[in-house]
Amino acid sequence: MIVDFATRTIRRILVGKEQRFVFTRKENIAIPPLSQIDLYIHIPFCRNKCPYCPYNRIDYDVNLVGPYTRAVLSEIEQYFLRLGKIKISSIYIGGGTPTTVIDELGVIIKSIREKFAITGDICIETTAGDLNEDIIRKLKDFGVDLISIGVQSFDDAFLKILGRNYDAAKACSAVNIALSSNFRSVNIDLMFALPGQNIANVLDDLNEALKIGANQVTTYPLFTFPYSSVGRYLKIRKVKMPGIFRLRKMYKEIHNFFKQNGYQRVSVWGFKKGGSPRFSSVTRDTYIGIGAGAGSRLPDVFYLNTFSVKDYIEATLTGRLPIALAMDMTPKLIKYYWLYWRFYDTYIDSQQLCEKFGKDVKLKVMFSLAKLLGLAKENGNQIELTERGAFYIHLLQNHFILNYIDRVWSAAMKESWPDKIEI
Ligand SMILES: C[S@@+](CC[C@H](N)C(=O)[O-])C[C@H]1O[C@@H](n2cnc3c(N)ncnc32)[C@H](O)[C@@H]1O
């Protein structure tokens, strides 16, 4: 309730009463000339569809793998025809579980290498249940630099509650194989605020992560999306979700744990150790998304491919881009999009902020208030969120995602080519 009020108020103050986020049906986008861009590749297949997962995914289906791969290759080709041999500053392969189609990933990466000049890291996410030595060897052969493994918990009981298809021993062996394979970084995802979980359980997971030596640990509180089946699934199990005060305490413990153990906070949720590069899926400024439901952000437009795997394949294989919805990025939106992700980073470069927002009085007042409330502080030439600030900003961002982004996604999941979605 309070969070809802805060989100609405902030949106109203910053973006204005009239400003709506409007996505409209678009078949084609005029792709401007670019010299470089980041790429996101979406692989929707999962061997085990977790009940809490909100992402666009389908059951692994051997009959769809070939057509889907051909569609992805065709979409890459179409961007190549429009953009020419430009630089690809990073590739992020997400899902779903991309490694379910390991050999096809080799073909996709090879095609990108042939057409473009890859100048940055190749990052991939996968799950502990899907990893083995053969898959890791192939990823290394394809030139993958950074890997993120969905572990979620090192406790068999919580893995069961989450509907994961492996146990803690398998999770440890998957992470160990990855860690001994010279990736530039191995991130593990953990989830907390799980039904029935207490602080000691969370600390047990963190200690396991520390012991195993992951370069980065990303800890997400379980949030339930209305369109995921987690609500139904958890109700059946009659378990109690931690409330906001428990959540607050858990985040504080997590933050302190990593600080005491020499990890540096690299996002609201992520903590990394040493000089390895930061693993991050979402903080890039502009990118092209390939695959069903993939989003693209170009300088002045944000657009989404159709979420339906079948329609994605059909549209792409007839030689067109599978774009379903687009939203123009007004100068105001561009600025706030940038700010949203800097809050996610938990620090903001003061000079960049000044360049983008000039003398924006509302923003100045907000930052002063945040400092007064102990949510942010000046740190050299940066404004940095405190631990408390990171927690509350995270709550607001979660709420924003659930209220706004969730509505776009759930509508786009129901209908392949919606006319308009307004939020
Ligand atoms: C795109 S998912 C990758 C999932 C990967 N295929 C796996 O099975 O582990 C990225 C991460 O988001 C987190 N996540 C997914 N659903 C979530 C939810 N409902 N609440 C909180 N975190 C979630 C998980 O930690 C997951 O590893």
Side-chain angles (χ1 to χ4, degrees):
M1 184 74 179
I2 296 171
V3 181
D4 187 36
F5 176 73
T7 320
R8 275 168 204 274
T9 311
I10 292 173
R11 176 179 160 167
R12 197 168 164 149
I13 294 172
L14 293 180
V15 191
K17 192 169 74 176
E18 304 308 328
Q19 176 93 43
R20 315 276 305 163
F21 299 117
V22 184
F23 287 83
T24 46
R25 170 98 179 86
K26 270 269 165 67
E27 276 191 14
N28 226 328
I29 296 281
I31 311 284
L34 299 165
S35 59
Q36 69 167 53
I37 193 83
D38 293 303
L39 267 195
Y40 171 75
I41 314 278
H42 189 75
I43 306 290
F45 303 107
C46 278
R47 288 194 197 276
N48 175 56
K49 268 169 63 192
C50 302
Y52 55 83
C53 178
Y55 300 102
N56 193 32
R57 77 253 144 87
I58 56 167
D59 281 319
Y60 177 83
D61 177 349
V62 71
N63 297 315
L64 278 181
V65 171
Y68 190 81
T69 308
R70 283 196 292 283
V72 165
L73 294 173
S74 159
E75 198 184 354
I76 292 169
E77 169 77 18
Q78 289 178 49
Y79 279 108
F80 170 66
L81 294 175
R82 286 163 174 82
L83 292 167
K85 194 178 173 70
I86 63 166
K87 289 182 189 148
I88 301 297
S89 27
S90 74
I91 301 177
Y92 187 95
I93 308 172
T97 310
T99 47
T100 48
V101 295
I102 185 71
D103 293 324
E104 289 74 12
L105 287 183
V107 179
I108 292 168
I109 294 173
K110 182 165 172 268
S111 155
I112 299 172
R113 269 193 211 291
E114 282 166 4
K115 294 186 170 60
F116 301 99
I118 303 176
T119 57
D121 288 327
I122 304 180
C123 317
I124 195 165
E125 62 185 33
T126 182
T127 153
D130 207 50
L131 268 193
N132 55 41
E133 271 164 7
D134 185 44
I135 287 184
I136 291 280
R137 190 178 38 76
K138 286 181 175 163
L139 292 177
K140 290 294 298 178
D141 287 350
F142 303 157
V144 169
D145 300 285
L146 282 71
I147 186 169
S148 173
I149 307 170
V151 167
Q152 320 311 353
S153 174
F154 288 102
D155 184 323
D156 287 345
F158 290 111
L159 288 172
K160 204 160 171 211
I161 285 177
L162 287 170
R164 304 289 285 180
N165 62 346
Y166 54 85
D167 60 13
K170 167 72 184 157
C172 289
S173 81
V175 177
N176 278 324
I177 300 172
L179 280 169
S180 59
S181 304
N182 284 328
F183 287 101
R184 293 188 61 218
S185 178
V186 176
N187 170 77
I188 60 176
D189 283 343
L190 292 177
M191 283 162 76
F192 71 98
L194 305 178
Q197 191 183 37
N198 61 32
I199 287 172
N201 302 139
V202 176
L203 287 173
D204 284 347
D205 269 346
L206 300 186
N207 273 308
E208 277 305 317
L210 182 71
K211 209 164 76 193
I212 213 162
N215 305 106
Q216 183 174 320
V217 185
T218 311
T219 55
Y220 299 104
L222 171 66
F223 42 93
T224 55
F225 288 81
Y227 62 84
S228 73
S229 52
V230 72
R232 213 174 342 116
Y233 179 80
L234 294 177
K235 214 178 274 162
I236 295 166
R237 295 177 164 266
K238 287 198 174 63
V239 277
K240 203 168 174 295
M241 302 286 288
I244 183 157
F245 294 113
R246 175 80 63 90
L247 195 65
R248 172 80 193 97
K249 191 138 201 307
M250 282 179 174
Y251 186 72
K252 204 180 230 172
E253 291 283 346
I254 291 171
H255 196 276
N256 291 344
F257 178 91
F258 283 118
K259 206 170 159 195
Q260 280 156 15
N261 286 291
Y263 281 71
Q264 165 202 355
R265 188 179 65 191
V266 287
S267 71
V268 175
W269 295 303
F271 301 86
K272 91 173 178 75
K273 197 169 194 172
S276 55
R278 169 193 186 196
F279 187 96
S280 161
S281 60
V282 286
T283 47
R284 290 154 179 83
D285 263 351
T286 53
Y287 51 89
I288 285 174
I290 307 280
S296 301
R297 162 76 215 281
L298 295 183
D300 52 13
V301 64
F302 180 85
Y303 58 92
L304 288 169
N305 284 351
T306 181
F307 278 60
S308 152
V309 170
K310 191 177 135 284
D311 289 308
Y312 167 77
I313 293 172
E314 217 173 275
T316 313
L317 291 183
T318 56
R320 68 182 181 90
L321 287 176
I323 299 167
L325 290 164
M327 179 176 69
D328 288 332
M329 296 290 287
T330 60
K332 205 171 190 179
L333 214 52
I334 291 172
K335 283 196 309 190
Y336 285 109
Y337 182 94
W338 177 85
L339 192 60
Y340 181 90
W341 289 115
R342 299 300 73 78
F343 274 129
Y344 178 90
D345 288 341
T346 73
Y347 60 87
I348 303 165
D349 184 283
S350 307
Q351 200 184 327
Q352 280 185 15
L353 187 72
C354 195
E355 277 163 19
K356 295 210 188 263
F357 288 86
K359 293 185 172 54
D360 189 320
V361 179
K362 289 177 199 165
L363 204 68
K364 277 215 158 80
V365 172
M366 266 191 44
F367 275 116
S368 304
L369 198 66
K371 281 181 213 162
L372 210 68
L373 294 171
L375 302 174
K377 62 178 188 204
E378 300 276 351
N379 187 358
N381 50 4
Q382 286 182 343
I383 299 173
E384 188 183 309
L385 296 187
T386 58
E387 178 273 325
R388 186 197 295 173
F391 175 78
Y392 285 109
I393 295 291
H394 146 102
L395 264 195
L396 290 182
Q397 288 193 321
N398 256 4
H399 194 75
F400 177 81
I401 288 171
L402 287 172
N403 265 280
Y404 300 118
I405 299 182
D406 169 79
R407 274 198 260 153
V408 178
W409 278 36
S410 50
M413 277 179 188
K414 273 195 212 113
E415 210 184 323
S416 301
W417 311 104
D419 279 334
K420 188 176 182 181
I421 304 176
E422 201 170 331
I423 49 175

